[in-house]
């Protein structure tokens, strides 16, 4: 992307240390750490939608929460318009929170059950002094129109709404503070399929009208393909491939992206698989394998993958972190024999 | 997209909804009626009581229940019914003042400790351990013994011990609420800690505390009466149920009504608080999710 990034992340790592019982501390067992994110580098341009995909437990939500300032990174930095998030204090920090909003996955727990929708919105508007006096009421009306909620929603409580409506209330609340960047963490995965499209299209529409930058975190590949300009594939807390949406989806370079796409259900009848399916489970983030984190499950893994962690390098139209990206694309990398699964 | 979802039919008024549900519960109605009557007796004892609770009548000593004295008379010829009615004033006050400060202190401490955690929480945990190690009554009696007997000292003593229970309850509720996404959403919206704690978390955490408070008021009456009985609470000749029971102690075989009647008043009032507390627990539970 040629434009100056609005939000950028470099070397972002998050580790949660697991509490140890006293006995283990006395016996000198090492502290166990969950390595949720391992050196993420990303940059998002203004007005762009960056899709972030990966399996459950790969660190997508942690990344979203880091960007929203809910989780403090262990290493690395987040910059918004060139300013380091970690340096912001007090008023500036609140201003960051106003400009970068997070929409949560579960609209059933992200709305305060004891506040009316009108109270929620007017609180957001008044705390940040977005409007005052009668402007608040006017603006609430506009927000309802924006997210297509009826005006009488104002005096109702969240439990009186359906899941899709609740998610639109959450969007209205985020938009109330006029953010520049929206992070949507599994925006629609808690919703019925029939409502998903509605909410996603609303989001895209709003993005166009308001010029929002969107980070779309999801596990639904079709959805991400539909909404994103660029896509980042995350595996065990690292970006394994990033590139323009069409490139990543039509010609994935990293074997993990290929497997992920091959595993996605489609309506088309296929003549057998071209890519070998993934074997094994996602390794525990407590013990991330050395070398390429994917080598245990990778059908193309070679000796080098066990020793050396591949860097994110340009391949095709985007970047991929694989030693054999070119060979795999050319079809010259030998497929390893499936190891017998231990019973 | 022109979808306008159907919205649940508008409810006319939230309060009327709550009242309508409350009125369908016999337990709520019974508790409400008992406490309403108790409150009336506490507010207007002079208008309701047939006799002066302190007036001696040497012509009517230790008379059993009769039309003139429905609850009988005591050793000085004082009307037991009037004394029980005047005691409502003291005992209802006790129920309120012995608990309300404990609740407010506990609510604030519990909310702060539950929200911030860390060292404050660790220290709080040890304080709780230290307080609950002692039996409640023993600790309160020890504090009253140091401060000296009397109602105000009794309030101080009970509050000094009781706030811990409220704080523990509030802390647990706040911690549960803090883990909800709406708390995270409030942080993402850049709200101050005070706003998040008191405007977002506390309203969601307060119901169990209110319910516990109701039950605790019943316990406070029992505790206050016990202390009154032991001579550490309200002082004679003031009419207080525990004091009244203690006065009848020596005549329990010959003039049972002197002790029994205030005992019944304690039971009925305690029942009123419990019924109200239990039905409030159901009514305050948020609907949906």
């Amino acid at each position: 992307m040629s434009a100056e990034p609005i939000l950028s992340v470099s070397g972002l790592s998050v580790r949660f240390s697991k509490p140890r019982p006293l006995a283990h501390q006395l016996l000198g067992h090492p502290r166990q750490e969950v390595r949720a994110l391992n050196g993420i580098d990303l940059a998002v341009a203004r007005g762009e939608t960056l899709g972030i995909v990966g399996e459950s437990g790969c660190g997508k939500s942690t990344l979203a929460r880091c960007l929203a300032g809910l989780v403090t990174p262990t290493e690395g930095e987040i910059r918004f318009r060139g300013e380091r998030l970690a340096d912001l204090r007090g008023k500036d920090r609140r201003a960051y929170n106003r400009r970068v909003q997070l929409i949560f996955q579960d609209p059933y727990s992200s709305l305060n059950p004891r506040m009316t929708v009108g109270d929620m919105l007017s609180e957001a508007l008044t705390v940040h002094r977005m409007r005052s006096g009668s402007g608040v009421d006017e603006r609430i009306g506009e927000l309802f129109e924006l997210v297509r909620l009826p005006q009488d929603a104002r005096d109702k409580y969240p439990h009186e709404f359906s899941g899709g409506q609740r998610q639109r209330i959450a969007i209205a609340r985020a938009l109330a503070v006029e953010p520049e960047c929206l992070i949507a963490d599994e925006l629609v995965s808690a919703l019925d399929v029939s409502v998903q499209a509605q909410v996603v299209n609303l989001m895209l529409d709003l993005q166009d009208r308001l010029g929002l930058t969107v980070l779309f975190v999801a596990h639904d590949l079709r959805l991400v393909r539909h909404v994103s300009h660029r896509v980042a594939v995350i595996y065990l807390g690292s970006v394994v491939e990033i590139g323009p949406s069409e490139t990543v989806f039509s010609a994935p370079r990293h074997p993990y992206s290929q497997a992920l796409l091959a595993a996605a259900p489609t309506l088309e009848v296929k003549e057998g698989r071209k890519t070998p399916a993934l074997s094994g489970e996602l390794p525990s983030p407590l013990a991330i394998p050395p070398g390429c984190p994917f080598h245990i499950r990778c059908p193309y893994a070679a000796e080098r993958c066990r020793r050396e962690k591949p860097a994110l390098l340009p391949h095709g139209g985007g970047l991929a972190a694989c030693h054999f990206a070119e060979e795999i694309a050319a079809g010259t990398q030998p497929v390893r024999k499936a190891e017998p699964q231990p019973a | 997209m022109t979808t306008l979802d159907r919205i649940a039919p508008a409810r006319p008024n939230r309060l009327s909804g709550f009242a309508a549900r409350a009125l369908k519960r016999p337990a709520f109605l019974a508790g409400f009626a008992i406490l309403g009557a108790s409150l009336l007796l506490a507010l207007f004892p002079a208008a309701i009581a047939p006799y002066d609770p302190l007036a001696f009548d040497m012509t009517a000593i230790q008379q059993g229940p009769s039309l003139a004295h429905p609850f009988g008379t005591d050793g000085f010829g004082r009307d037991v019914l009037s004394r029980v009615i005047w005691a409502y004033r003291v005992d209802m006050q006790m129920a309120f003042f012995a608990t309300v400060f404990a609740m407010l202190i506990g609510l604030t401490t519990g909310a702060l400790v539950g929200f911030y955690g860390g060292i404050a929480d660790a220290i709080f945990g040890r304080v709780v351990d230290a307080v609950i190690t002692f039996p409640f009554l023993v600790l309160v009696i020890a504090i009253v013994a140091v401060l000296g007997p009397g109602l105000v000292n009794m309030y101080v003593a009970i509050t000094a011990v009781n706030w811990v229970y409220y704080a523990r309850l509030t802390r647990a509720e706040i911690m549960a609420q803090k883990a909800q996404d709406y708390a995270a959403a409030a942080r993402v919206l850049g709200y101050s800690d005070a706003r998040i704690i008191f405007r977002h978390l506390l309203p969601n955490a307060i119901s169990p505390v209110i319910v516990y408070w109701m039950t605790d008021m019943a316990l406070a009456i029992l505790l206050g009466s016990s202390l009154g009985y032991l001579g550490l609470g309200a002082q004679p000749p003031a009419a207080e149920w525990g004091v009244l029971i203690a006065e009848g102690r020596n005549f329990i075989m010959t003039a049972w009504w002197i002790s029994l009647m205030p005992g019944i008043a304690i039971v009925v009032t305690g029942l009123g608080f419990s019924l109200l507390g239990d039905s409030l627990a159901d009514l305050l539970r948020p609907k949906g999710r």
Side-chain angles (χ1 to χ4, degrees), chain B:
Chain B
M1 235 174 24
T2 54
T3 323
L4 276 177
D5 289 16
R6 191 180 57 84
I7 297 286
R11 192 137 354 93
N13 178 341
R14 192 139 305 274
L15 194 69
S16 71
F18 180 86
R21 282 186 296 139
L23 291 176
K24 281 188 202 137
R25 287 171 179 277
F28 181 87
L29 286 180
F32 192 75
I34 291 173
L35 291 183
S38 305
L39 215 56
L40 276 182
L41 291 171
L43 289 174
F44 311 108
I48 300 166
Y51 297 91
D52 179 346
L54 300 176
F56 292 177
D57 180 357
M58 292 308 174
T59 63
I61 288 174
Q62 289 195 8
Q63 287 185 350
S66 63
L67 274 181
H69 300 283
F71 283 15
T73 61
D74 70 2
F76 298 103
R78 290 176 295 197
D79 180 48
V80 174
L81 175 63
S82 303
R83 285 178 71 68
V84 167
I85 290 174
W86 275 90
Y88 268 100
R89 171 161 280 185
V90 177
D91 283 87
M92 292 298 276
Q93 266 182 39
M94 245 160 40
F96 186 73
F97 288 115
T99 53
V100 71
F101 300 111
M103 184 199 52
L104 293 177
I105 296 170
L107 212 52
T108 319
T109 317
L112 294 176
V113 164
F115 185 79
Y116 288 106
I119 292 176
D121 191 34
I123 294 172
F124 172 75
R126 300 293 80 75
V127 171
V128 170
D129 289 347
V131 172
I132 62 177
T133 309
F134 292 95
F136 194 96
L137 191 59
V138 172
L139 196 52
V140 170
I141 289 175
I143 299 176
V144 175
V146 171
L147 298 175
L151 272 183
V152 173
N153 287 349
M154 189 186 83
Y155 297 153
V156 172
I158 296 179
T159 304
V161 180
N162 209 9
W163 71 272
V164 169
Y165 295 85
Y166 286 96
R168 202 167 56 147
L169 185 61
T170 312
R171 169 183 172 272
E173 282 296 319
I174 289 282
M175 285 173 68
Q177 294 298 329
K178 196 177 80 166
Q180 299 270 321
D181 279 347
Y182 75 81
R187 279 175 62 195
V188 175
L189 281 161
Y191 295 162
S192 65
D193 286 357
R195 177 177 285 276
I196 295 174
I197 296 173
F198 293 106
R199 195 156 149 67
H200 290 257
L201 300 181
L202 212 49
N204 286 289
I206 207 168
S207 312
V209 180
I210 298 283
V211 170
Y212 179 72
W213 184 36
M214 289 288 145
T215 330
D216 196 39
M217 285 203 271
L219 293 175
I221 290 181
L222 290 179
L223 186 64
S225 314
S226 308
L227 292 173
Y229 180 87
L230 295 172
L232 295 169
Q235 297 299 306
E240 190 277 324
W241 295 329
V243 173
L244 296 184
I245 294 175
E247 282 173 3
R249 188 181 57 209
N250 292 331
F251 315 112
I252 194 80
M253 304 307 285
T254 51
W256 46 268
W257 52 88
I258 304 178
S259 292
L260 183 67
M261 296 307 178
I264 290 175
I266 294 177
V267 171
V268 171
T269 315
L271 195 67
F273 278 117
S274 294
L275 286 172
L276 198 68
D278 271 2
S279 35
L280 272 183
D282 292 340
L283 289 167
L284 289 176
R285 199 169 293 143
K287 289 189 302 173
R289 257 223 286 176

Side-chain angles (χ1 to χ4, degrees), chain A residues 65 68-70 94 97 100-102 104 106 108-115 120 123-124 127-128 148 150 156-157 159-162 165-166 168 173 177 198 201-202, chain B residues 1-11 14 177 180-192 195 199-201 203-205 207 284-289:
Chain A
R65 282 171 179 259
L70 287 173
R94 282 198 289 281
N97 275 333
V100 180
Q101 278 294 305
L102 174 65
F104 292 81
D106 181 5
Y108 289 91
S109 82
S110 68
L111 303 176
N112 186 341
R114 296 228 182 249
M115 279 174 103
M120 277 178 216
E123 181 178 37
V127 166
H128 287 288
R148 304 189 184 101
K156 290 189 173 153
Y157 286 82
H159 73 255
E160 297 174 59
F161 295 91
S162 68
Q165 288 171 330
R166 281 168 173 241
R168 281 184 277 153
R173 182 178 59 186
V177 294
Q198 216 183 77
N201 288 337
L202 169 68
Chain B
M1 235 174 24
T2 54
T3 323
L4 276 177
D5 289 16
R6 191 180 57 84
I7 297 286
R11 192 137 354 93
R14 192 139 305 274
Q177 294 298 329
Q180 299 270 321
D181 279 347
Y182 75 81
R187 279 175 62 195
V188 175
L189 281 161
Y191 295 162
S192 65
R195 177 177 285 276
R199 195 156 149 67
H200 290 257
L201 300 181
N204 286 289
S207 312
L284 289 176
R285 199 169 293 143
K287 289 189 302 173
R289 257 223 286 176

Side-chain angles (χ1 to χ4, degrees), chain A residues 149-333:
Chain A
L149 279 169
Q151 294 296 329
D152 67 349
R154 196 177 299 231
D155 297 322
K156 290 189 173 153
Y157 286 82
H159 73 255
E160 297 174 59
F161 295 91
S162 68
Q165 288 171 330
R166 281 168 173 241
Q167 200 57 298
R168 281 184 277 153
I169 295 169
I171 295 175
R173 182 178 59 186
L175 293 178
V177 294
E178 292 166 29
E180 293 163 49
C181 181
L182 269 189
I183 302 162
D185 183 9
E186 299 278 6
L187 181 71
V188 295
S189 60
L191 306 179
D192 285 346
V193 178
S194 55
V195 189
Q196 287 189 354
Q198 216 183 77
V199 173
V200 167
N201 288 337
L202 169 68
M203 173 104 159
L204 292 178
D205 182 36
L206 291 173
Q207 180 181 23
D208 278 352
R209 282 160 66 180
L210 308 173
L212 295 169
T213 306
V214 175
L215 262 88
F216 196 87
V217 180
H219 66 268
D220 185 333
L221 298 170
R222 284 169 308 144
L223 207 58
V224 171
R225 183 179 197 165
H226 175 59
V227 303
S228 311
H229 301 118
R230 283 193 308 147
V231 174
V233 181
I234 295 191
Y235 182 77
L236 278 178
S238 307
V239 176
V240 294
E241 180 162 5
I242 181 167
S245 184
E246 274 319 303
T247 317
V248 173
F249 279 97
S250 56
R253 292 296 167 135
H254 195 279
Y256 177 67
S257 320
Q258 293 175 353
L260 207 60
L261 288 175
T266 52
L267 289 176
E268 295 143 42
V269 181
K270 272 198 223 155
E271 328 219 330
R273 284 176 186 281
K274 279 182 226 133
T275 351
L278 275 191
S279 60
E281 298 266 325
L282 189 69
S284 162
L286 278 169
I288 289 183
C292 173
F294 187 56
H295 81 254
I296 320 182
R297 301 168 75 190
C298 181
Y300 303 106
E303 189 48 39
R304 188 180 171 197
C305 306
R306 277 181 261 280
R307 283 180 281 110
E308 212 180 311
K309 186 173 177 170
L312 203 55
L313 296 171
H315 290 291
L319 306 170
C322 179
H323 294 306
F324 302 106
E326 296 303 332
E327 289 86 341
I328 291 168
T332 55
Q333 179 70 9

